[in-house]
Amino acid sequence: MKSFSFTIVFLLIYHIHAQQNERNFVKIEESNNNGGVSQFVAPKSTIGSKIYKFKYRSESYKGTRLEITSKLRALKNDSKFAGIPSEIKTVLNELFKNTKHQAIPRLYKKNAIIFLDALYSYEEFVIAYDNSLHEVVGKIKTDMRYIDFKFERQFTKAKVKLDRVIKENPESTKEIDRLEKDARNSLIKLISHRWMKKKFETYKGIDIVKKPDALIKEFKETEAMNAFNLFQEKEIEKMSPYLENQIIDFFYKKSIPEIHPDQLELNYIDKI
């Protein structure tokens, strides 16, 4: 009977000890060279306190997984990455998640470098994007000074032609309708151009893109993903022409609700 009781006590102690050991270890899965998955256990204490170490560019990363992950998170949330489009942010967040949940040091390092590559690639894109947009805005400002007269002359010619037909052939309704449409389109183009010209004249220096107003900020956010695709495809030379076309169209559409065709003042031609 004593022997039986001793056996029961021994089994209970063994079971408790086994449970304690189980709580102190964690099962880890790792891909092997054959395409399968290998499993092994490691002490939990080593997972949390183990020192991870790697270098990325000129930056050294050394510390526990928690410490390095905290450093990566702070970098991801840095203000210079605040304008990341949602599509890119989703990818970066997924890469960051893959990194922080990886307990195996060499795989953690691998995932961290993939994450950092993606993050710094976006930083390089921001530099190219801002430079291209700054260049485009400067070019448009210069162009607008020269084409202002052109647009006014187009409108006055269309208006003179319309007035002549109305006076000489008032029964030519189809011709008059067509000329009225031409004159109206020329008028809208001229007034929209002057609305845009006034906006662009306020843009000075690199602050155009570094501290954008509401319009430039909206445009940057709208076109960031398309510009990023050009950057990824190594077609940076196409970025400026693309942005020039898009920003003119963007500002033109923004001008339509703001303009007043009946308030046009001619700058170059005294009389129509």
Side-chain angles (χ1 to χ4, degrees):
M1 185 68 179
K2 288 182 179 180
S3 175
F4 178 74
S5 299
F6 175 79
T7 302
I8 294 296
V9 171
F10 175 80
L11 289 174
L12 286 171
I13 293 172
Y14 178 83
H15 180 67
I16 292 170
H17 182 70
Q19 285 184 323
Q20 289 175 339
N21 279 342
E22 185 177 345
R23 285 195 295 268
N24 291 329
F25 284 80
V26 62
K27 182 184 290 185
I28 295 175
E29 293 186 350
E30 179 180 3
S31 299
N32 56 40
N33 295 330
N34 298 322
V37 176
S38 301
Q39 293 185 347
F40 60 93
V41 295
K44 286 185 177 179
S45 59
T46 64
I47 297 300
S49 61
K50 186 176 180 65
I51 298 300
Y52 292 56
K53 182 179 179 181
F54 64 92
K55 189 172 183 179
Y56 184 83
R57 297 188 177 183
S58 60
E59 185 75 16
S60 293
Y61 292 84
K62 183 178 180 181
T64 65
R65 179 159 60 104
L66 185 62
E67 289 169 341
I68 296 180
T69 299
S70 179
K71 188 173 182 178
L72 294 177
R73 182 183 290 106
L75 181 62
K76 180 173 71 76
N77 295 333
D78 191 282
S79 59
K80 64 184 175 182
F81 300 116
I84 295 180
S86 58
E87 299 95 329
I88 301 174
K89 189 175 291 186
T90 298
V91 174
L92 288 172
N93 286 339
E94 190 63 30
L95 293 175
F96 176 74
K97 188 187 299 182
N98 291 342
T99 301
K100 75 175 184 178
H101 290 317
Q102 180 53 254
I104 303 171
R106 66 180 182 82
L107 295 183
Y108 181 92
K109 174 185 174 181
K110 179 181 178 182
N111 287 355
I113 289 175
I114 292 173
F115 165 73
L116 289 168
D117 277 343
L119 189 64
Y120 280 105
S121 175
Y122 182 78
E123 184 182 34
E124 292 167 2
F125 157 70
V126 169
I127 294 171
Y129 188 33
D130 284 353
N131 288 342
S132 293
L133 186 55
H134 178 244
E135 174 189 323
V136 163
V137 171
K139 180 178 182 298
I140 291 175
K141 282 178 66 176
T142 301
D143 291 346
M144 282 184 165
R145 299 188 189 106
Y146 292 104
I147 63 177
D148 192 61
F149 173 75
K150 175 184 175 182
F151 282 156
E152 183 171 314
R153 185 174 61 180
Q154 285 178 349
F155 166 66
T156 54
K157 287 175 69 175
K159 186 68 167 63
V160 166
K161 193 171 184 179
L162 170 63
D163 291 345
R164 184 187 303 121
V165 172
I166 290 175
K167 182 179 180 180
E168 297 175 359
N169 300 294
E171 70 284 353
S172 302
T173 55
K174 287 186 178 180
E175 179 72 1
I176 290 172
D177 287 344
R178 183 182 65 80
L179 293 174
E180 282 181 341
K181 184 177 180 181
D182 289 345
R184 178 70 180 178
N185 289 341
S186 297
L187 175 62
I188 297 298
K189 185 186 295 184
L190 173 59
I191 298 178
S192 295
H193 161 75
R194 287 190 173 160
W195 183 91
M196 294 164 60
K197 181 173 178 286
K198 187 175 180 180
K199 294 290 183 183
F200 274 79
E201 284 174 347
T202 65
Y203 297 144
K204 294 178 174 65
I206 196 64
D207 281 351
I208 297 167
V209 291
K210 297 298 183 183
K211 299 177 182 178
D213 65 2
L215 285 171
I216 294 292
K217 182 179 180 182
E218 182 182 346
F219 176 77
K220 284 186 70 177
E221 291 173 352
T222 301
E223 294 299 334
M225 197 64 211
N226 293 327
F228 184 69
N229 289 336
L230 291 174
F231 178 81
Q232 282 193 311
E233 293 165 6
K234 311 296 183 185
E235 295 183 330
I236 299 177
E237 72 283 353
K238 294 182 180 180
M239 194 180 294
S240 290
Y242 171 79
L243 292 175
E244 183 175 354
N245 290 332
Q246 294 303 113
I247 200 170
I248 290 172
D249 183 64
F250 175 84
F251 270 76
Y252 174 78
K253 289 175 180 175
K254 291 292 183 181
S255 74
I256 298 301
E258 304 290 332
I259 60 176
H260 303 283
D262 56 327
Q263 297 178 7
L264 172 67
E265 292 184 8
L266 299 177
N267 293 336
Y268 310 101
I269 301 172
D270 295 332
K271 186 177 180 181
I272 297 180

